[in-house]
Amino acid sequence: MNNPVIHGEGLGKSYRRGALQQSTLLRDHLSKALKSPLSVFRRAKDETFWALKDVSLEVYEGEVLGLIGRNGAGKTTLLKILSRITRPTTGWAEIHGRVGSLLEVGTGFHPELTGRENTFLSGAILGMSKREIASKFDEIVTFAELEKFIDTPVKHYSSGMFVRLAFAVAAHLEPEILLVDEVLAVGDINFQKKCLGKMGDVARAGRTVVLVSHQLNQIRRLCHRVVWIDGGSIRMSGLTPELVGAYESAMSSAKHTLGRNGGAKPAKARFVSWKVVEPQSSFSHRIESVGPVTISFRLEVQSVIGHGHHGIALYDSDQRLVWAFASDDLSFDPGIYELTYRFPFFPICPRSYNWQLSLWDENGNLDMWEALPELIVAAPNYQHPRDEWNGFLNVPSDFRISSTKG
Amino acid sequence: MASAAQSNVALPLPTGVSATVRIEPPRSLLELRLAEVWAYRELLYFFVWRDVKIRYKQTAIGVLWVVLQPVLTMLVFTLFFGRLAKLPSQGLPYPVFYFAALVPWTYFSYALQSTTNVVVDNQRLITKVYFPRLILPISTALSGLVDFAIGFVVLAIFTFAYGIRPTLAALWLPVLLLLGVFTALGVGLWMSALNALYRDVRYAVPFAVQFWMFASPVAYPSTLVPERWRWLYGLNPMAGVIDGFRWAITGRGQAPSLLLLASSAMVALVFVGGVFFFNRMESTVADRV
């Protein structure tokens, strides 16, 4: 587990900005040369643009590493360097083991060929040997649910069928190191889940996976460790729950800083922070057991409130309501308060959630707070080992079989 | 559930892909990874297989096209260059004279043109997955050989029907074919790399191939070329290949001479240069196409 299978040192990739816009027609070069004969000797303005700069990383054997970051941050460039599609401008990397890369679904598929022929072709292009493909062929076809159509040219497939076959081939690629770019975001939701399950199997079988995804839930489910890339370099790296949390709050604080009542009038009261009191852990916004759990919210009150109403709601990251509660007839004097909730059980599925708190008086809303940072539930999973059989509740259960006579 | 994942753990590494790979900025012009091309030979096979499959699938009459093209050209040549212009044919019946040249020429023209376009046509693949790019031009040069084989069978039947029996000269055929393949591949390497830089090349090459045909003894015997210009003519490797082909099939006409040696040297030069030029382009091609 402790051998780095990927070791990168100071990796950088620069493009000349001019080069990207440079015409590929000789005509344009000629006409330019005719207009200003000296320009041929002048290099196009060397505006260098670093898509990736000084990135060093180590990926260990059997690890599932997630790469996150905004569009254009350099994630795909890094993946392309590691999969040898493009060469770095600076730095070096060493990779130990057989690499498979999956940068798009359906690489090498040809519409005129049948499903069977494409399976072999795409498999070979992705790095499988002919023998390997032949031995997995039935499994691939079953996985894609295309038994009846495997000898039909792919051009007659529906887009769903195409994606299923393409992914089935890719999912059966079993290199020692798998580099995956945002390809799980295709197909219908059930098939996606099936693929995620397959990827999970790959990871559990001890292979190393580097995964680029914008879907933070996928990252949470699959990755042990996450590297956050921003503006071409590594902004942060660490264990998945904290890192994804930090990333999400950075993204949402960029979005929501103006989220509460505009800040125009001096608020009578406002929520300022929250934390997990019980169980104690080194992370104050993370719960690592299914209960008991105590959460407290800090409220700053500026002037007297009578007949107050307070509401709380817990949403999951898809904005589905998980739990809500309300209290009436509250009165506060100016000061700082801790509003504490104790839950004997907190059996919800491990992922990220958001608290929403509100405070009202007779005259209307005083504060409405989308609590930051988000809540991360990282309790042990007591559910089915496969993702598609994981529900909302994470309840420990006791299973027993007893025989009853008669 | 997990059995699917475990069942293949013991699979061997595929065809000799080295276990440790070092990724670095492109450094030396002379850095070739030819061993890797060999390691990926199975993919080369699949590319050839794909080309051939698709070529015959998309057309209504499939294999017939391969035969029809040189046969029709032969008929036109026989009529215009033979019957009307009365060009000499080294004592061979016109149809045999032309067909024996058109079979290797058709291969060459197809192989050169498809090799020119192979990098651009596969740009999607090139930007999404790694393999030694050299495999692409090699695969197109090889897949043309399937057409050639079909054409050659027709040529053999044809020659036989005209009562011409093979001689020992036929032993030269593999050598001549090899020279033709390397000519197409050597020039094709330059053109496909240039085509990735300037798309004009795509339009220029078919023209060039047409001129090249008239600079080769396809429609006329090379004996028409004045003696003192022969050496220059010999620098065109296809002149040697076509002349040689006619001779090897029929046992008549120009036997390979020292000129063929000069042609071979020329081809070797173009080919080796092409490999390096292509290789240089390879390291940046994914950023360009």
Side-chain angles (χ1 to χ4, degrees):
Chain A
M1 181 77 192
N2 290 326
N3 318 325
V5 287
I6 300 177
H7 183 124
E9 212 48 73
L11 288 171
K13 176 84 188 172
S14 72
Y15 294 94
R16 263 190 300 135
R17 234 194 210 119
L20 290 175
Q21 298 152 3
Q22 226 170 52
S23 165
T24 52
L25 283 181
L26 190 59
R27 187 185 60 210
D28 296 343
H29 289 260
L30 288 178
S31 66
K32 209 175 83 188
L34 285 177
K35 269 182 232 151
S36 50
L38 287 177
S39 74
V40 190
F41 302 104
R42 237 179 292 137
R43 264 272 181 80
K45 260 179 279 157
D46 263 8
E47 224 184 305
T48 315
F49 157 69
W50 288 87
L52 204 66
K53 208 168 186 179
D54 197 25
V55 168
S56 301
L57 83 168
E58 283 187 339
V59 185
Y60 296 91
E61 195 180 333
E63 180 177 44
V64 181
L65 179 79
L67 294 179
I68 58 176
R70 266 181 300 216
N71 280 330
K75 306 176 301 274
T76 302
T77 306
L78 179 58
L79 220 55
K80 280 192 171 176
I81 289 174
L82 294 179
S83 52
R84 304 176 67 200
I85 291 165
T86 181
R87 308 271 292 261
T89 315
T90 61
W92 56 268
E94 245 171 21
I95 299 189
H96 308 281
R98 190 185 149 197
V99 179
S101 57
L102 214 53
L103 270 68
E104 90 182 325
V105 158
T107 309
F109 267 58
H110 196 286
E112 295 288 339
L113 298 177
T114 66
R116 181 187 303 274
E117 290 162 345
N118 270 310
T119 301
F120 276 87
L121 181 62
S122 181
I125 287 170
L126 293 174
M128 282 192 257
S129 71
K130 200 175 163 190
R131 241 185 57 203
E132 203 176 344
I133 307 165
S135 75
K136 286 184 197 164
F137 184 76
D138 292 337
E139 209 182 308
I140 292 174
V141 177
T142 314
F143 188 88
E145 301 159 25
L146 281 172
E147 290 89 342
K148 277 186 216 149
F149 303 101
I150 198 65
D151 288 310
T152 309
V154 163
K155 64 179 172 187
H156 299 307
Y157 280 21
S158 70
S159 62
M161 289 159 77
F162 179 88
V163 165
R164 286 214 304 274
L165 182 62
F167 206 96
V169 177
H172 288 78
L173 186 66
E174 284 173 350
E176 289 150 329
I177 302 161
L178 188 60
L179 309 172
V180 187
D181 188 11
E182 201 76 63
V183 287
L184 300 167
V186 294
D188 63 276
I189 200 82
N190 286 324
F191 193 71
Q192 263 189 42
K193 283 186 179 160
K194 199 165 157 182
C195 294
L196 276 175
K198 182 80 193 170
M199 293 277 295
D201 288 347
V202 170
R204 274 189 289 277
R207 291 187 184 82
T208 311
V209 181
V210 178
L211 172 72
V212 166
S213 181
H214 284 289
Q215 300 190 41
L216 296 174
N217 284 327
Q218 272 178 8
I219 296 269
R220 260 193 206 96
R221 260 193 256 183
L222 292 169
C223 302
H224 310 135
R225 208 157 60 85
V226 172
V227 169
W228 172 5
I229 296 184
D230 195 23
S233 34
I234 295 181
R235 170 139 163 205
M236 229 190 238
S237 71
L239 296 176
T240 306
E242 299 87 70
L243 209 112
V244 174
Y247 176 73
E248 271 184 333
S249 19
M251 291 298 111
S252 64
S253 66
K255 243 188 300 180
H256 293 301
T257 30
L258 298 171
R260 72 187 340 151
N261 23 333
K265 54 182 178 191
K268 265 173 119 175
R270 51 187 230 121
F271 293 98
V272 288
S273 66
W274 76 279
K275 65 175 187 237
V276 176
V277 181
E278 181 196 8
Q280 291 237 314
S281 86
S282 38
F283 307 101
S284 51
H285 302 99
R286 183 169 165 183
I287 298 172
E288 288 169 340
S289 83
V290 289
V293 164
T294 307
I295 314 272
S296 83
F297 300 90
R298 176 164 292 193
L299 177 71
E300 279 178 16
V301 179
Q302 305 296 336
S303 49
V304 181
I305 298 169
H307 298 291
H309 169 91
H310 157 60
I312 181 170
L314 182 64
Y315 289 96
D316 72 3
S317 48
D318 296 331
Q319 293 308 309
R320 280 176 301 192
L321 182 63
V322 177
W323 173 85
F325 193 74
S327 323
D328 281 316
D329 254 344
L330 310 171
S331 45
F332 296 95
D333 290 330
I336 295 170
Y337 297 85
E338 296 283 343
L339 278 59
T340 304
Y341 287 87
R342 185 168 191 279
F343 305 91
F345 302 110
F346 203 77
I348 60 173
C349 156
R351 54 196 293 199
S352 68
Y353 297 88
N354 295 289
W355 296 107
Q356 193 187 67
L357 291 110
S358 64
L359 189 67
W360 314 68
D361 68 1
E362 301 96 327
N363 303 321
N365 181 252
L366 299 175
D367 192 20
M368 176 75 82
W369 188 46
E370 309 269 356
L372 283 175
E374 60 173 8
L375 163 68
I376 290 157
V377 176
N381 195 348
Y382 295 107
Q383 298 194 66
H384 195 281
R386 292 193 81 114
D387 286 339
E388 63 262 42
W389 291 106
N390 272 263
F392 257 128
L393 287 183
N394 183 29
V395 194
S397 57
D398 195 9
F399 176 65
R400 217 166 267 167
I401 298 178
S402 48
S403 71
T404 33
K405 294 193 181 96
Chain B
M1 246 171 344
S3 65
Q6 282 161 7
S7 64
N8 292 300
V9 172
L11 269 175
L13 279 167
T15 49
V17 177
S18 64
T20 296
V21 170
R22 200 176 156 89
I23 296 168
E24 277 172 314
R27 284 200 297 197
S28 149
L29 187 78
L30 301 179
E31 177 196 0
L32 289 179
R33 298 185 177 188
L34 294 182
E36 213 178 42
V37 175
W38 177 246
Y40 276 81
R41 62 191 178 277
E42 208 169 80
L43 184 58
L44 174 64
Y45 159 79
F46 272 107
F47 279 148
V48 173
W49 172 83
R50 173 190 70 172
D51 279 0
V52 173
K53 265 239 144 92
I54 291 165
R55 236 161 97 70
Y56 293 125
K57 252 185 200 181
Q58 278 170 332
T59 54
I61 50 173
V63 182
L64 212 56
W65 264 122
V66 180
V67 183
L68 221 53
Q69 205 188 335
V71 166
L72 289 179
T73 317
M74 178 263 286
L75 288 177
V76 172
F77 279 16
T78 303
L79 187 66
F80 289 98
F81 294 125
R83 300 267 183 271
L84 292 180
K86 301 223 170 6
L87 290 176
S89 64
Q90 298 170 322
L92 287 168
Y94 280 123
V96 174
F97 178 79
Y98 288 126
F99 203 57
L102 280 167
V103 168
W105 180 260
T106 308
Y107 161 76
F108 173 76
S109 138
Y110 169 77
L112 175 55
Q113 292 184 53
S114 54
T115 305
T116 300
N117 293 331
V118 75
V119 169
V120 174
D121 288 348
N122 285 282
Q123 52 178 289
R124 243 191 110 86
L125 213 54
I126 286 175
T127 54
K128 296 296 182 195
V129 71
Y130 175 78
F131 52 87
R133 311 304 185 199
L134 204 53
I135 283 184
L136 285 173
I138 296 177
S139 75
T140 46
L142 290 183
S143 67
L145 286 177
V146 176
D147 288 5
F148 172 82
I150 297 168
F152 185 79
V153 169
V154 175
L155 172 65
I157 296 170
F158 204 73
T159 320
F160 201 80
Y162 267 90
I164 298 165
R165 299 288 170 264
T167 63
L168 274 182
L171 293 176
W172 273 86
L173 283 171
V175 180
L176 295 161
L177 178 60
L178 207 64
L179 192 61
V181 172
F182 274 93
T183 312
L185 187 55
V187 180
L189 282 170
W190 285 91
M191 291 304 130
S192 64
L194 281 171
N195 195 17
L197 302 179
Y198 304 109
R199 296 298 145 82
D200 308 62
V201 173
R202 169 174 281 236
Y203 307 108
V205 165
F207 262 123
V209 168
Q210 237 164 32
F211 289 129
W212 198 334
M213 185 179 83
F214 288 105
S216 310
V218 179
Y220 56 90
S222 59
T223 42
L224 276 195
V225 178
E227 194 73 53
R228 60 199 158 105
W229 295 116
R230 283 286 168 76
W231 64 271
L232 193 64
Y233 197 67
L235 288 184
N236 167 13
M238 285 315 285
V241 171
I242 303 276
D243 257 354
F245 225 83
R246 230 179 233 136
W247 168 80
I249 288 281
T250 63
R252 270 175 264 175
Q254 291 291 113
S257 58
L258 271 181
L259 273 189
L260 197 69
L261 213 60
S263 297
S264 307
M266 182 78 190
V267 168
L269 210 67
V270 171
F271 177 75
V272 172
V275 169
F276 281 106
F277 183 64
F278 186 87
N279 195 61
R280 213 192 116 157
M281 185 261 340
E282 171 181 13
S283 57
T284 57
V285 68
D287 305 330
R288 281 183 195 276
V289 287

